[in-house]
């Protein structure tokens, strides 16, 4: 059933099933490495795309799941979280923390759990879509499933 998926997406699939999430990973014909590309490919609002952005904060990776309609205000988010700073992770840091490449980072399937913050505005959507471990794979879930899957804290991110 998952033999057609890339190896990274199979890890994501297994993690989703272990969490009781039944949405199937969809392989897109073209890379959807940005929220507008993913939204166009799926025919959904850009805000329903759950971007997985990896930052470096206080010496550790921080995963921020943000609505595709938002940009993360790192200074404001750091203040809200009581952190000294939040900066965009390098591609190498992203790969090390998640096992996945920028543009395809899923909210799960990582070598170890990541501290996660979830954009409160994603709750507006009945269904949200996230990357499935590669820039060509995505999957649907609910906001509540995302919160449960990641154990993330909910915050305003923009």
């Amino acid at each position: 059933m998952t033999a057609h998926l890339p190896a990274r997406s199979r890890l994501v699939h297994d993690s989703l099933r272990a969490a009781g999430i039944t949405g199937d990973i969809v392989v897109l014909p073209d890379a959807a490495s940005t929220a507008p590309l993913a939204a166009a490919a799926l025919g959904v609002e850009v805000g329903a795309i759950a971007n997985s952005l990896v930052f470096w904060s206080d010496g550790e990776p921080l995963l921020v799941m943000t609505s595709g309609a938002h940009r993360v205000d790192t200074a404001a988010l750091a203040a809200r979280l009581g952190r000294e700073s939040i900066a965009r992770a390098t591609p190498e840091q992203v790969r090390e923390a998640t096992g996945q490449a920028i543009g395809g980072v899923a909210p799960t399937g990582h070598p170890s759990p990541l501290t996660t913050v979830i954009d409160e505005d994603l709750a507006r959507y009945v269904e949200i879509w996230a990357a499935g471990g590669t820039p060509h794979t995505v999957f649907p879930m609910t906001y509540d499933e995302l919160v449960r899957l990641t154990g993330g804290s909910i915050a305003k991110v923009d």
Side-chain angles (χ1 to χ4, degrees), residues 71-83 86 155-158:
R71 294 185 59 91
V72 176
D73 181 334
T74 55
L77 185 58
R80 285 186 200 107
L81 298 177
R83 291 180 171 250
I86 296 175
K156 179 176 174 57
V157 303
D158 61 344

Side-chain angles (χ1 to χ4, degrees), residues 31 40 50 54 59 71 73 114 121:
V54 180
R71 294 185 59 91
D73 181 334
L114 297 176
D121 285 350

